[in-house]
Amino acid sequence: EVQLVESGGGLVQAGGSLRLSCAVSGFRFDDDVIGWFRQAPGKEREEVSAINPKVQSTYYVDSVKGRFTISSDNANYMVFLQMNSLKPEDTAVYYCALSRRLLLPRQWDSTWVDYWGRGTLVTVSS
């Protein structure tokens, strides 16, 4: 059974940093795409960032470029999202997700997702 478990969320002031982690079990990293979505209160879920762990190609939504960095630890089946210069508009539940069908992170969207984590809440105060 494939499981994705997020951690690292919390409350931070604007301008601060957080590092989200996603532990993947029941699945071996290969030519797949793993990444993050977020859903703010009253808003639709949006894609944030994704990575192909095998070739290390990445994707970022425009609103986080230059502030967020996605990475993977393939030996330990972990994916990380380093979030710097956080803004109140980054407040959301962040979900880790895995696609076994997608090869290119730049095509990251929810229609490709095969497995979801339960989410971790990030709150950025102004």
Side-chain angles (χ1 to χ4, degrees):
E1 179 186 4
V2 177
Q3 289 188 325
L4 291 77
V5 179
E6 304 95 335
S7 61
L11 174 63
V12 64
Q13 288 188 331
S17 298
L18 283 175
R19 188 192 194 209
L20 304 185
S21 299
C22 176
V24 182
S25 60
F27 185 80
R28 282 190 155 186
F29 286 5
D30 198 346
D31 214 356
D32 316 284
V33 177
I34 304 171
W36 298 88
F37 291 82
R38 67 185 179 186
Q39 187 165 19
K43 295 188 177 181
E44 293 187 355
R45 184 168 49 197
E46 67 167 345
E47 56 273 13
V48 176
S49 181
I51 186 169
N52 179 315
K54 183 176 182 179
V55 299
Q56 294 290 298
S57 55
T58 58
Y59 160 82
Y60 299 94
V61 68
D62 285 347
S63 59
V64 308
K65 283 181 181 177
R67 301 188 298 122
F68 291 11
T69 303
I70 192 168
S71 61
S72 67
D73 177 351
N74 294 358
N76 293 298
Y77 303 106
M78 298 284 294
V79 175
F80 306 99
L81 187 67
Q82 178 66 44
M83 306 186 295
N84 298 330
S85 302
L86 282 162
K87 304 175 181 179
E89 52 263 43
D90 294 317
T91 295
V93 176
Y94 284 71
Y95 297 91
C96 182
L98 166 67
S99 172
R100 302 180 66 172
R101 299 169 285 140
L102 186 63
L103 299 178
L104 301 174
R106 67 173 183 263
Q107 297 176 331
W108 188 238
D109 72 55
S110 60
T111 60
W112 289 101
V113 173
D114 298 300
Y115 303 98
W116 292 94
R118 293 190 173 185
T120 186
L121 176 62
V122 172
T123 304
V124 184
S125 63
S126 56

